[in-house]
Coordinates of all heavy atoms in Angstrom, one line a residue:
M1 N -20.6 26.7 28.5 CA -21.0 28.1 28.5 C -22.5 28.2 28.8 O -23.3 27.4 28.3 CB -20.8 28.6 27.2 CG -19.9 29.9 27.2 SD -19.8 30.5 25.5 CE -18.4 31.5 25.8
A2 N -22.9 29.0 29.8 CA -24.3 29.2 30.0 C -25.0 29.9 29.0 O -24.5 30.9 28.3 CB -24.5 29.9 31.3
G3 N -26.2 29.5 28.5 CA -27.0 30.2 27.6 C -26.8 29.7 26.1 O -27.6 30.0 25.3
G4 N -25.8 28.9 25.9 CA -25.7 28.2 24.6 C -25.6 29.2 23.5 O -25.0 30.3 23.7
G5 N -25.9 29.0 22.3 CA -25.9 30.0 21.1 C -24.6 30.6 20.8 O -24.4 31.0 19.6
G6 N -23.7 30.8 21.7 CA -22.5 31.6 21.3 C -21.3 30.6 20.9 O -21.5 29.5 21.1
S7 N -20.5 31.2 20.1 CA -19.3 30.4 19.6 C -18.4 30.2 20.7 O -18.0 31.1 21.5 CB -18.7 31.0 18.3 OG -18.0 32.2 18.8
S8 N -18.0 28.9 20.9 CA -17.0 28.6 21.9 C -15.7 28.5 21.4 O -15.4 28.2 20.2 CB -17.4 27.2 22.6 OG -17.3 26.2 21.5
K9 N -14.7 29.0 22.2 CA -13.2 28.9 21.8 C -12.7 27.6 22.3 O -12.6 27.3 23.4 CB -12.4 30.1 22.4 CG -12.7 31.4 21.6 CD -11.6 32.3 21.8 CE -11.8 33.4 20.9 NZ -10.5 33.9 20.4
R10 N -12.3 26.8 21.3 CA -11.7 25.5 21.6 C -10.5 25.3 20.7 O -10.5 25.8 19.6 CB -12.8 24.4 21.5 CG -13.4 24.2 20.1 CD -14.4 23.2 20.2 NE -15.2 23.3 19.0 CZ -15.9 22.4 18.5 NH1 -15.9 21.1 18.9 NH2 -16.6 22.6 17.4
P11 N -9.5 24.5 21.1 CA -8.4 24.3 20.3 C -8.7 23.4 19.1 O -9.6 22.7 19.1 CB -7.4 23.5 21.0 CG -8.2 23.0 22.2 CD -9.4 23.9 22.4
S12 N -8.1 23.8 17.9 CA -8.3 23.1 16.8 C -7.9 21.6 16.9 O -6.9 21.3 17.6 CB -7.5 23.7 15.5 OG -6.2 23.6 15.7
G13 N -8.5 20.7 16.2 CA -8.3 19.4 16.3 C -7.0 19.0 15.5 O -6.4 19.8 14.9
G14 N -6.5 17.9 15.8 CA -5.3 17.4 15.2 C -4.2 17.1 16.2 O -4.2 17.5 17.3
M15 N -3.2 16.4 15.7 CA -2.1 16.1 16.6 C -1.0 17.1 16.5 O -0.2 17.2 17.5 CB -1.6 14.7 16.1 CG -0.8 14.0 17.2 SD -0.8 12.2 16.7 CE 1.0 12.2 16.3
Y16 N -0.8 17.8 15.5 CA 0.2 18.7 15.3 C -0.2 20.2 15.2 O -1.3 20.4 14.8 CB 1.1 18.3 14.0 CG 1.5 17.0 14.0 CD1 0.8 16.0 13.2 CD2 2.6 16.6 14.7 CE1 1.3 14.7 13.1 CE2 3.0 15.3 14.7 CZ 2.4 14.4 13.8 OH 2.9 13.1 13.8
K17 N 0.6 21.0 15.8 CA 0.3 22.5 15.6 C 0.4 22.9 14.1 O 1.2 22.4 13.4 CB 1.2 23.3 16.5 CG 0.9 23.2 18.0 CD 1.9 24.1 18.7 CE 1.3 24.4 20.1 NZ 2.0 25.5 20.8
R18 N -0.4 23.9 13.9 CA -0.2 24.4 12.5 C 0.9 25.3 12.3 O 1.1 26.3 13.2 CB -1.6 25.1 12.1 CG -1.6 25.7 10.7 CD -3.0 26.1 10.1 NE -3.9 25.0 10.2 CZ -4.0 24.1 9.1 NH1 -3.3 24.1 8.2 NH2 -5.0 23.1 9.1
V19 N 1.7 25.2 11.3 CA 2.8 26.0 11.1 C 2.5 27.2 10.2 O 1.9 26.9 9.1 CB 4.0 25.2 10.6 CG1 5.2 26.0 10.3 CG2 4.4 24.1 11.4
P20 N 2.8 28.3 10.5 CA 2.4 29.5 9.6 C 3.1 29.4 8.3 O 4.3 28.9 8.2 CB 3.0 30.7 10.4 CG 3.2 30.3 11.9 CD 3.4 28.8 11.7
K21 N 2.5 29.9 7.2 CA 3.0 29.8 5.8 C 4.3 30.4 5.8 O 5.2 30.0 4.9 CB 2.0 30.3 4.9 CG 0.7 29.5 4.7 CD 1.1 28.2 3.9 CE -0.2 27.5 3.6 NZ 0.1 26.2 3.1
D22 N 4.6 31.6 6.4 CA 5.8 32.3 6.2 C 7.0 31.5 6.7 O 8.2 31.9 6.5 CB 5.8 33.6 6.7 CG 5.4 33.7 8.2 OD1 4.8 32.7 8.8 OD2 5.7 34.8 8.9
L23 N 6.7 30.4 7.6 CA 7.9 29.6 8.1 C 8.1 28.3 7.4 O 8.9 27.6 7.8 CB 7.6 29.3 9.6 CG 7.4 30.6 10.5 CD1 7.2 30.0 11.9 CD2 8.8 31.4 10.6
T24 N 7.3 28.1 6.3 CA 7.6 26.9 5.5 C 8.2 27.2 4.1 O 8.1 28.4 3.6 CB 6.2 26.2 5.3 OG1 5.3 26.9 4.6 CG2 5.6 25.8 6.7
E25 N 8.8 26.3 3.6 CA 9.4 26.4 2.2 C 9.3 25.1 1.5 O 9.7 24.0 1.9 CB 10.9 26.7 2.5 CG 11.6 27.0 1.1 CD 13.0 27.3 1.3 OE1 13.4 27.9 2.3 OE2 13.7 27.1 0.3
A26 N 8.6 25.1 0.4 CA 8.4 23.9 -0.5 C 9.7 23.7 -1.3 O 10.3 24.6 -1.8 CB 7.3 24.1 -1.4
T27 N 10.2 22.4 -1.2 CA 11.4 22.1 -2.0 C 11.0 20.9 -2.9 O 10.1 20.2 -2.7 CB 12.6 21.7 -1.0 OG1 12.2 20.6 -0.4 CG2 12.9 22.9 -0.1
M28 N 12.0 20.9 -4.0 CA 11.8 19.7 -5.0 C 11.9 18.3 -4.1 O 11.3 17.3 -4.5 CB 12.8 19.8 -6.1 CG 12.7 18.7 -7.0 SD 11.1 18.7 -8.0 CE 11.6 19.9 -9.3
L29 N 13.0 18.3 -3.3 CA 13.3 17.0 -2.5 C 12.1 16.7 -1.7 O 11.7 15.6 -1.6 CB 14.6 17.2 -1.6 CG 14.9 16.1 -0.9 CD1 15.3 14.8 -1.8 CD2 16.1 16.4 0.1
G30 N 11.5 17.7 -1.0 CA 10.3 17.3 -0.2 C 9.1 16.8 -1.0 O 8.4 15.9 -0.6
G31 N 9.0 17.3 -2.1 CA 7.9 16.9 -3.1 C 8.2 15.4 -3.5 O 7.2 14.6 -3.6
L32 N 9.5 15.2 -3.9 CA 9.8 13.8 -4.3 C 9.5 12.8 -3.2 O 9.1 11.7 -3.4 CB 11.2 13.9 -4.8 CG 11.4 14.5 -6.2 CD1 12.9 14.6 -6.5 CD2 10.6 13.9 -7.3
M33 N 10.1 13.2 -2.0 CA 9.9 12.3 -0.8 C 8.4 12.0 -0.6 O 8.1 10.9 -0.3 CB 10.5 13.0 0.4 CG 12.0 13.0 0.3 SD 12.8 11.3 0.4 CE 12.6 11.0 2.2
S34 N 7.5 13.0 -0.7 CA 6.1 12.8 -0.5 C 5.6 11.9 -1.6 O 4.8 10.9 -1.2 CB 5.4 14.2 -0.5 OG 5.8 15.0 0.5
I35 N 5.9 12.0 -2.7 CA 5.4 11.2 -3.8 C 5.9 9.8 -3.6 O 5.2 8.8 -3.8 CB 5.8 11.6 -5.2 CG1 5.0 13.0 -5.5 CG2 5.6 10.6 -6.4 CD1 5.6 13.7 -6.7
L36 N 7.2 9.6 -3.2 CA 7.8 8.3 -3.0 C 7.0 7.6 -1.7 O 6.7 6.4 -1.9 CB 9.2 8.4 -2.7 CG 10.0 7.1 -2.4 CD1 10.0 6.2 -3.6 CD2 11.3 7.4 -1.9
C37 N 6.8 8.4 -0.7 CA 6.1 7.7 0.4 C 4.7 7.3 0.1 O 4.2 6.2 0.4 CB 6.1 8.7 1.6 SG 7.7 8.9 2.3
I38 N 4.0 8.2 -0.6 CA 2.5 7.8 -1.0 C 2.6 6.6 -2.0 O 1.6 5.7 -1.8 CB 1.8 9.1 -1.7 CG1 1.7 10.2 -0.6 CG2 0.6 8.7 -2.3 CD1 1.2 11.5 -1.2
T39 N 3.5 6.6 -2.9 CA 3.6 5.4 -3.8 C 3.9 4.2 -3.0 O 3.2 3.1 -3.2 CB 4.6 5.7 -4.9 OG1 4.3 6.8 -5.6 CG2 4.7 4.5 -5.8
T40 N 4.8 4.2 -2.0 CA 5.0 3.1 -1.2 C 3.9 2.6 -0.4 O 3.6 1.4 -0.4 CB 6.3 3.4 -0.3 OG1 7.4 3.9 -1.1 CG2 6.7 2.2 0.5
V41 N 3.2 3.5 0.2 CA 2.0 3.1 0.9 C 0.9 2.5 -0.1 O 0.3 1.4 0.4 CB 1.3 4.3 1.6 CG1 0.0 4.0 2.2 CG2 2.2 4.8 2.7
I42 N 0.7 3.1 -1.2 CA -0.3 2.4 -2.1 C 0.2 1.1 -2.6 O -0.7 0.1 -2.5 CB -0.5 3.3 -3.3 CG1 -1.2 4.6 -2.9 CG2 -1.3 2.6 -4.4 CD1 -1.3 5.7 -4.0
V43 N 1.5 0.8 -2.8 CA 1.9 -0.5 -3.4 C 1.8 -1.5 -2.2 O 1.4 -2.7 -2.4 CB 3.4 -0.4 -3.8 CG1 4.1 -1.8 -4.0 CG2 3.5 0.4 -5.1
L44 N 2.2 -1.1 -0.9 CA 2.1 -2.0 0.1 C 0.6 -2.4 0.4 O 0.3 -3.5 0.7 CB 2.7 -1.3 1.4 CG 4.2 -1.4 1.5 CD1 4.7 -0.6 2.6 CD2 4.8 -2.9 1.5
F45 N -0.2 -1.4 0.3 CA -1.6 -1.7 0.5 C -2.2 -2.8 -0.4 O -2.8 -3.7 0.0 CB -2.5 -0.4 0.4 CG -4.0 -0.7 0.5 CD1 -4.6 -0.9 1.7 CD2 -4.8 -0.8 -0.6 CE1 -6.0 -1.2 1.8 CE2 -6.1 -1.0 -0.6 CZ -6.8 -1.2 0.6
F46 N -2.0 -2.5 -1.8 CA -2.4 -3.6 -2.6 C -1.7 -4.9 -2.6 O -2.3 -6.0 -2.7 CB -2.2 -2.9 -4.1 CG -3.4 -1.9 -4.4 CD1 -3.1 -0.7 -4.5 CD2 -4.7 -2.3 -4.5 CE1 -4.1 0.3 -4.9 CE2 -5.7 -1.4 -4.8 CZ -5.4 -0.1 -4.9
T47 N -0.5 -5.0 -2.4 CA 0.3 -6.2 -2.2 C -0.2 -6.9 -1.0 O -0.4 -8.3 -1.0 CB 1.9 -6.1 -2.3 OG1 2.2 -5.1 -1.2 CG2 2.4 -5.6 -3.5
E48 N -0.3 -6.3 0.1 CA -0.9 -7.0 1.3 C -2.3 -7.4 1.2 O -2.6 -8.6 1.7 CB -0.7 -6.1 2.5 CG 0.7 -5.9 2.9 CD 1.5 -7.2 3.3 OE1 0.9 -8.0 3.9 OE2 2.7 -7.3 2.9
T49 N -3.1 -6.6 0.5 CA -4.5 -7.1 0.3 C -4.5 -8.2 -0.6 O -5.2 -9.3 -0.4 CB -5.3 -5.9 -0.4 OG1 -5.3 -4.9 0.6 CG2 -6.8 -6.3 -0.5
Y50 N -3.8 -8.3 -1.7 CA -3.6 -9.4 -2.6 C -3.2 -10.7 -1.8 O -3.8 -11.8 -2.1 CB -2.7 -9.1 -3.8 CG -2.4 -10.3 -4.8 CD1 -3.6 -10.7 -5.5 CD2 -1.4 -10.9 -4.7 CE1 -3.3 -11.7 -6.5 CE2 -1.1 -12.1 -5.6 CZ -2.1 -12.5 -6.4 OH -2.1 -13.5 -7.2
A51 N -2.0 -10.6 -1.0 CA -1.6 -11.7 -0.3 C -2.7 -12.2 0.7 O -2.8 -13.4 0.8 CB -0.3 -11.3 0.5
F52 N -3.5 -11.4 1.3 CA -4.5 -11.8 2.1 C -5.6 -12.6 1.5 O -6.1 -13.6 1.8 CB -5.2 -10.6 2.9 CG -6.3 -11.0 3.7 CD1 -6.1 -11.6 4.9 CD2 -7.6 -10.6 3.4 CE1 -7.3 -11.9 5.7 CE2 -8.7 -10.9 4.0 CZ -8.5 -11.6 5.2
L53 N -6.0 -12.0 0.2 CA -7.0 -12.7 -0.5 C -6.7 -14.0 -1.1 O -7.6 -14.8 -1.3 CB -7.6 -11.7 -1.5 CG -8.3 -10.4 -1.0 CD1 -8.6 -9.6 -2.1 CD2 -9.5 -10.8 -0.1
R54 N -5.4 -14.2 -1.4 CA -5.0 -15.4 -2.1 C -4.5 -16.5 -1.1 O -4.0 -17.5 -1.4 CB -3.9 -15.2 -3.2 CG -2.6 -14.9 -2.5 CD -1.6 -14.7 -3.7 NE -0.4 -14.1 -3.2 CZ 0.7 -14.9 -2.8 NH1 0.6 -16.2 -2.8 NH2 1.6 -14.4 -2.2
T55 N -4.7 -16.3 0.3 CA -4.2 -17.2 1.3 C -5.0 -18.5 1.1 O -6.1 -18.7 0.9 CB -4.5 -16.6 2.6 OG1 -3.8 -15.4 2.8 CG2 -3.9 -17.6 3.6
N56 N -4.2 -19.6 1.2 CA -4.7 -20.9 1.0 C -4.4 -21.8 2.3 O -3.4 -21.8 2.7 CB -4.0 -21.6 -0.3 CG -4.6 -23.0 -0.5 OD1 -5.5 -23.4 0.1 ND2 -4.0 -23.6 -1.5
V57 N -5.4 -22.3 2.9 CA -5.3 -23.1 4.0 C -5.0 -24.5 3.6 O -5.8 -25.1 2.8 CB -6.6 -23.1 4.9 CG1 -6.3 -24.0 6.1 CG2 -6.8 -21.6 5.3
S58 N -4.0 -25.0 4.1 CA -3.5 -26.4 3.7 C -3.2 -27.2 4.9 O -2.5 -26.7 5.8 CB -2.3 -26.4 2.8 OG -1.8 -27.6 2.5
T59 N -3.7 -28.4 5.1 CA -3.5 -29.3 6.2 C -2.9 -30.6 5.7 O -3.4 -31.2 4.9 CB -4.8 -29.5 7.0 OG1 -5.4 -28.4 7.3 CG2 -4.5 -30.4 8.2
T60 N -1.8 -31.0 6.3 CA -1.2 -32.2 5.9 C -0.9 -33.1 7.2 O -0.7 -32.5 8.3 CB 0.1 -32.0 5.2 OG1 1.0 -31.2 6.0 CG2 -0.1 -31.3 3.9
L61 N -0.8 -34.3 7.1 CA -0.5 -35.2 8.2 C 0.3 -36.3 7.7 O 0.0 -37.0 6.8 CB -1.8 -35.7 8.8 CG -1.8 -36.7 10.0 CD1 -1.1 -36.1 11.1 CD2 -3.1 -37.3 10.2
D62 N 1.5 -36.3 8.3 CA 2.5 -37.4 8.0 C 2.5 -38.3 9.2 O 2.8 -37.9 10.3 CB 3.9 -36.8 7.8 CG 3.9 -36.0 6.5 OD1 3.2 -36.1 5.5 OD2 4.7 -34.9 6.5
V63 N 2.4 -39.6 8.8 CA 2.3 -40.7 10.0 C 3.6 -41.5 9.9 O 4.2 -41.9 8.8 CB 1.2 -41.7 9.7 CG1 1.1 -42.7 10.8 CG2 -0.2 -40.9 9.7
D64 N 4.2 -41.5 11.1 CA 5.4 -42.3 11.2 C 5.1 -43.8 11.2 O 4.3 -44.2 12.0 CB 6.1 -41.9 12.5 CG 7.4 -42.5 12.7 OD1 8.1 -43.1 11.7 OD2 8.1 -42.4 13.8
E65 N 5.7 -44.6 10.3 CA 5.4 -46.0 10.2 C 6.3 -46.9 11.0 O 6.3 -48.1 10.8 CB 5.5 -46.4 8.6 CG 4.6 -45.6 7.7 CD 3.1 -46.0 8.1 OE1 2.8 -47.1 8.5 OE2 2.2 -45.2 7.7
T66 N 7.0 -46.3 11.9 CA 7.9 -47.1 12.7 C 7.1 -47.9 13.7 O 6.3 -47.4 14.5 CB 8.9 -46.2 13.6 OG1 9.4 -45.2 12.6 CG2 10.0 -47.0 14.2
P67 N 7.3 -49.4 13.6 CA 6.4 -50.2 14.5 C 7.1 -50.2 15.9 O 8.2 -49.8 16.1 CB 6.7 -51.6 13.8 CG 8.0 -51.5 13.1 CD 8.1 -50.1 12.7
D68 N 6.2 -50.7 16.9 CA 6.7 -51.0 18.3 C 7.1 -49.7 19.0 O 8.0 -49.8 19.8 CB 7.8 -52.0 18.3 CG 7.5 -53.3 17.6 OD1 6.3 -53.7 17.8 OD2 8.3 -54.0 17.1
Q69 N 6.5 -48.6 18.7 CA 6.8 -47.4 19.4 C 5.4 -46.8 19.8 O 4.4 -46.8 19.0 CB 7.6 -46.4 18.6 CG 9.1 -46.7 18.4 CD 9.9 -45.7 17.7 OE1 9.3 -44.8 17.2 NE2 11.2 -45.9 17.7
Q70 N 5.4 -46.2 20.9 CA 4.3 -45.4 21.3 C 4.4 -44.0 20.8 O 5.5 -43.4 20.8 CB 4.1 -45.5 22.9 CG 3.7 -46.8 23.4 CD 3.4 -46.8 24.8 OE1 3.7 -45.7 25.5 NE2 2.8 -47.9 25.4
I71 N 3.3 -43.4 20.4 CA 3.3 -42.1 20.0 C 2.6 -41.2 21.0 O 1.5 -41.5 21.5 CB 2.6 -42.0 18.6 CG1 3.3 -42.7 17.6 CG2 2.5 -40.5 18.2 CD1 2.5 -42.8 16.3
R72 N 3.3 -40.2 21.5 CA 2.7 -39.3 22.5 C 2.0 -38.1 21.7 O 2.7 -37.5 20.8 CB 3.8 -38.8 23.3 CG 3.3 -37.9 24.4 CD 4.3 -37.3 25.3 NE 3.7 -36.3 26.1 CZ 4.2 -36.1 27.4 NH1 5.3 -36.7 27.8 NH2 3.6 -35.2 28.1
L73 N 0.8 -37.9 22.0 CA 0.0 -36.8 21.3 C -0.3 -35.8 22.5 O -1.0 -36.1 23.4 CB -1.2 -37.3 20.7 CG -1.1 -38.2 19.6 CD1 -2.4 -38.8 19.2 CD2 -0.3 -37.7 18.5
N74 N 0.0 -34.5 22.2 CA -0.3 -33.4 23.1 C -1.3 -32.5 22.3 O -1.0 -32.1 21.2 CB 0.9 -32.6 23.5 CG 1.9 -33.6 24.3 OD1 1.4 -34.3 25.1 ND2 3.2 -33.3 24.1
F75 N -2.5 -32.2 23.0 CA -3.4 -31.2 22.4 C -3.6 -30.1 23.4 O -3.7 -30.2 24.6 CB -4.8 -32.0 22.3 CG -4.9 -33.0 21.2 CD1 -4.6 -34.3 21.5 CD2 -5.1 -32.6 19.9 CE1 -4.7 -35.3 20.5 CE2 -5.1 -33.6 18.9 CZ -4.9 -35.0 19.2
N76 N -3.5 -28.9 22.7 CA -3.8 -27.7 23.5 C -4.9 -26.9 22.7 O -4.5 -26.1 21.8 CB -2.6 -26.9 23.7 CG -2.9 -25.7 24.6 OD1 -3.9 -25.5 25.1 ND2 -1.8 -24.8 24.7
I77 N -6.1 -27.2 23.0 CA -7.2 -26.7 22.1 C -8.1 -25.8 23.0 O -8.5 -26.2 24.2 CB -8.1 -27.8 21.5 CG1 -7.2 -28.6 20.6 CG2 -9.2 -27.2 20.8 CD1 -7.8 -29.8 20.0
T78 N -8.4 -24.5 22.6 CA -9.2 -23.6 23.3 C -10.5 -23.5 22.5 O -10.4 -23.0 21.4 CB -8.7 -22.2 23.6 OG1 -7.4 -22.5 24.4 CG2 -9.5 -21.4 24.4
M79 N -11.6 -23.9 23.2 CA -13.0 -23.7 22.4 C -13.9 -23.0 23.4 O -14.3 -23.5 24.4 CB -13.5 -25.1 22.2 CG -12.8 -25.8 21.1 SD -13.7 -27.4 20.6 CE -12.6 -28.0 19.4
H80 N -14.2 -21.8 23.1 CA -15.0 -21.0 23.9 C -16.5 -21.3 23.7 O -16.9 -21.8 22.7 CB -14.9 -19.5 23.4 CG -13.5 -18.9 23.6 ND1 -12.9 -18.7 24.8 CD2 -12.5 -18.7 22.6 CE1 -11.7 -18.3 24.6 NE2 -11.4 -18.3 23.3
N81 N -17.2 -21.2 24.9 CA -18.6 -21.6 24.9 C -19.0 -23.1 24.5 O -20.0 -23.4 23.9 CB -19.4 -20.7 23.9 CG -19.4 -19.3 24.3 OD1 -19.2 -18.9 25.5 ND2 -19.3 -18.4 23.3
L82 N -18.0 -24.0 24.8 CA -18.2 -25.4 24.6 C -18.0 -26.1 26.0 O -16.9 -25.9 26.6 CB -17.2 -26.0 23.5 CG -17.4 -27.5 23.3 CD1 -18.6 -27.8 22.6 CD2 -16.2 -28.0 22.5
L83 N -19.1 -26.7 26.5 CA -18.9 -27.4 27.7 C -18.0 -28.7 27.6 O -18.0 -29.3 26.5 CB -20.4 -27.8 28.2 CG -21.4 -26.8 28.4 CD1 -22.7 -27.4 28.7 CD2 -20.9 -25.8 29.5
C84 N -17.3 -29.0 28.6 CA -16.4 -30.1 28.6 C -17.1 -31.5 28.2 O -16.5 -32.4 27.8 CB -15.6 -30.3 29.8 SG -14.4 -28.8 30.1
A85 N -18.4 -31.5 28.7 CA -19.2 -32.7 28.5 C -19.3 -33.1 27.0 O -19.5 -34.2 26.6 CB -20.5 -32.6 29.2
Y86 N -19.2 -32.1 26.2 CA -19.4 -32.3 24.7 C -18.2 -32.4 24.0 O -18.2 -32.7 22.7 CB -20.3 -31.1 24.2 CG -21.6 -31.1 24.8 CD1 -22.0 -29.9 25.4 CD2 -22.5 -32.1 24.6 CE1 -23.2 -29.8 26.0 CE2 -23.8 -32.0 25.1 CZ -24.1 -30.9 25.8 OH -25.4 -30.8 26.4
A87 N -17.0 -32.2 24.6 CA -15.7 -32.3 23.9 C -15.1 -33.7 24.0 O -15.2 -34.2 25.0 CB -14.7 -31.2 24.4
S88 N -14.7 -34.2 22.9 CA -13.9 -35.5 22.9 C -13.0 -35.5 21.9 O -13.0 -34.9 20.8 CB -14.9 -36.6 22.8 OG -15.6 -36.7 21.5
V89 N -12.0 -36.5 22.0 CA -10.9 -36.7 21.1 C -10.8 -38.2 20.8 O -10.7 -39.0 21.8 CB -9.6 -36.1 21.4 CG1 -8.5 -36.5 20.4 CG2 -9.6 -34.6 21.7
D90 N -10.9 -38.7 19.5 CA -10.9 -40.1 19.3 C -9.6 -40.4 18.5 O -9.2 -39.7 17.6 CB -12.1 -40.6 18.5 CG -13.4 -40.3 19.3 OD1 -13.3 -40.5 20.5 OD2 -14.3 -40.0 18.6
V91 N -8.8 -41.4 19.0 CA -7.6 -41.7 18.4 C -7.6 -43.1 18.0 O -7.9 -44.1 18.8 CB -6.4 -41.5 19.2 CG1 -5.0 -41.9 18.6 CG2 -6.2 -40.0 19.6
W92 N -7.3 -43.6 16.7 CA -7.3 -44.9 16.2 C -5.9 -45.2 15.8 O -5.1 -44.4 15.4 CB -8.1 -45.0 15.0 CG -9.6 -44.9 15.3 CD1 -10.5 -45.9 15.9 CD2 -10.4 -43.8 15.0 NE1 -11.8 -45.3 15.9 CE2 -11.8 -44.1 15.3 CE3 -10.2 -42.5 14.3 CZ2 -12.8 -43.1 15.2 CZ3 -11.2 -41.7 14.1 CH2 -12.4 -42.0 14.6
D93 N -5.5 -46.5 16.1 CA -4.2 -47.0 15.6 C -4.4 -48.1 14.7 O -5.2 -49.0 14.7 CB -3.5 -47.5 16.9 CG -2.1 -47.9 16.6 OD1 -1.6 -47.4 15.7 OD2 -1.5 -48.7 17.4

């Protein structure tokens, strides 16, 4: 709008259209469903946060003691910002 200062007409934000009050009806079932959904979201939030915080990183390596066999090792490692000249893998038998 030229001149600024005036109120502009723009659509209200949000994803859903506002439903007029005379077209809505509150029910006991709707209230119970809302409380159940909110409780479920809160429980899931806290259980997932707890599971994330108690995560334990564990590394194990089991070596096959079978003699006279060759072991094939495949590595697929991606290291960003590391020149190939500095990357090496050492294997001892």
Side-chain angles (χ1 to χ4, degrees):
M1 237 184 197
S7 64
S8 63
K9 287 209 166 212
R10 59 183 161 156
S12 63
M15 203 163 106
Y16 303 104
K17 285 186 160 187
R18 184 165 297 278
V19 178
K21 288 286 186 190
D22 59 337
L23 297 178
T24 61
E25 182 180 336
T27 62
M28 180 69 88
L29 179 61
L32 290 174
M33 292 291 288
S34 296
I35 291 171
L36 178 68
C37 290
I38 290 170
T39 304
T40 303
V41 167
I42 290 170
V43 168
L44 284 173
F45 174 78
F46 283 112
T47 56
E48 290 298 321
T49 302
Y50 176 72
F52 173 75
L53 293 175
R54 71 176 173 89
T55 301
N56 185 0
V57 177
S58 176
T59 304
T60 60
L61 178 65
D62 296 327
V63 179
D64 185 13
E65 298 292 335
T66 309
D68 300 331
Q69 288 185 350
Q70 290 185 348
I71 299 174
R72 180 179 174 152
L73 299 174
N74 296 321
F75 288 95
N76 184 8
I77 300 172
T78 303
M79 293 186 182
H80 300 286
N81 299 326
L82 178 68
L83 298 175
C84 292
Y86 299 116
S88 69
V89 175
D90 298 326
V91 178
W92 292 283
D93 185 23

